[in-house]
Amino acid sequence: MLKIYHSPGTRGFRVIWACEELGVPYEIEPVDFSAENRARPEWRAMNSTGKVPVMKDGEMKMFESCAMMQYVLDRYGDGKLQPLKNDSVYAHYLQWCWFAEATFARPLGEIVNHRREFNPELDDVVAEMKSRATSALKAIDVAVADRPYLLGDTMSAADLSICYTMRGYCRMVTADLPSYAQGLFDRVTAIPSYERTVAADAKTAVRLGK
Ligand SMILES: N[C@@H](CCC(=O)N[C@@H](CS)C(=O)NCC(=O)O)C(=O)O
């Protein structure tokens, strides 16, 4: 069975959500997110960057949350949550999957990293990162102005991935999303697998005594 090494509130959420939506069996191995734990040689052997999440499937072990999602879809998804490779929207499927992490999540992650290292935080740095995240969000808002989901009428893993990053945006920048982006967020988080993922994430925190 898939084993997802996850710390509450972090990017493993994406992978858990994909499994929940697809009905793919998985188990969560809670990971203490403290810097001390992630610096341990045992954790570095799991992920040499010291980050979370990590996923195992039998002997296979990997990191990078979006790559994990894609692995789950390709291996166990039965064609669900992604267009066929010869579909005209496939290129945009890739674009939004990568955008979710490489462009939209990046400045948000830098705010977290910055706050961990600088106390007091440098306001200009945080403001710049918030502004980068906001311009990424605007691109999403424009993209869904004339459609319910990023690819059109059909929800895909790109929507799940982007909406996971939007959770971070609401927490770190502002909960006031532009209207079309808000519509996307509301539609995608209304699916029952979202609540199950939120519950699995909360249960992970309880298991860690948080
Ligand atoms: N691109 C990676 C980013 C992984 C990442 O930055 N994870 C965060 C938690 S969501 C982390 O472990 N941060 C600790 C650190 O960077 O020191 C992914 O999508 O898995």
Side-chain angles (χ1 to χ4, degrees), residues 10-11 14 33 38 51-53 64-66 101 113 116 164:
T10 65
R11 288 165 169 88
R14 283 196 177 107
F33 191 64
R38 289 183 295 102
K51 295 175 188 285
V52 291
E64 286 297 327
S65 60
C66 293
E101 182 59 20
N113 295 339
R116 199 181 299 131
Y164 164 73

Side-chain angles (χ1 to χ4, degrees), residues 15 18 29 41-42 57 84 92 98 111 163 168 171 182 202:
V15 192
E29 191 63 45
E42 291 83 353
D57 188 11
L84 291 170
H92 287 150
W98 286 63
I111 294 172
C163 285
R171 211 174 49 241
Q182 181 71 60

Side-chain angles (χ1 to χ4, degrees), residues 114-175:
H114 177 82
R115 287 184 170 152
R116 199 181 299 131
E117 299 298 326
F118 294 87
N119 185 12
E121 68 191 41
L122 303 175
D123 292 341
D124 287 352
V125 173
V126 173
E128 162 69 4
M129 293 303 143
K130 287 184 177 179
S131 143
R132 283 172 188 256
T134 300
S135 77
L137 181 63
K138 278 195 189 119
I140 295 161
D141 191 57
V142 168
V144 291
D146 63 349
R147 54 193 55 207
Y149 302 105
L150 286 160
L151 302 184
D153 291 332
T154 308
M155 189 185 77
S156 73
D159 296 294
L160 269 53
S161 200
I162 287 281
C163 285
Y164 164 73
T165 308
M166 273 193 210
R167 281 168 50 102
Y169 182 90
C170 293
R171 211 174 49 241
M172 277 182 268
V173 183
T174 165

Side-chain angles (χ1 to χ4, degrees), residues 60-87:
M60 189 285 295
K61 173 166 67 62
M62 68 186 293
F63 49 83
E64 286 297 327
S65 60
C66 293
M68 290 177 197
M69 262 186 123
Q70 193 58 47
Y71 174 89
V72 173
L73 294 178
D74 289 345
R75 186 116 189 179
Y76 302 110
D78 212 13
K80 295 189 202 116
L81 284 183
Q82 65 174 332
L84 291 170
K85 288 199 171 64
N86 60 4
D87 192 309

Side-chain angles (χ1 to χ4, degrees), residues 6-40:
H6 173 61
S7 301
T10 65
R11 288 165 169 88
F13 191 98
R14 283 196 177 107
V15 192
I16 297 166
W17 195 359
C19 288
E20 286 288 351
E21 180 59 19
L22 294 168
V24 174
Y26 70 94
E27 60 187 19
I28 295 177
E29 191 63 45
V31 180
D32 165 10
F33 191 64
S34 68
E36 297 72 34
N37 182 54
R38 289 183 295 102
R40 285 166 54 240

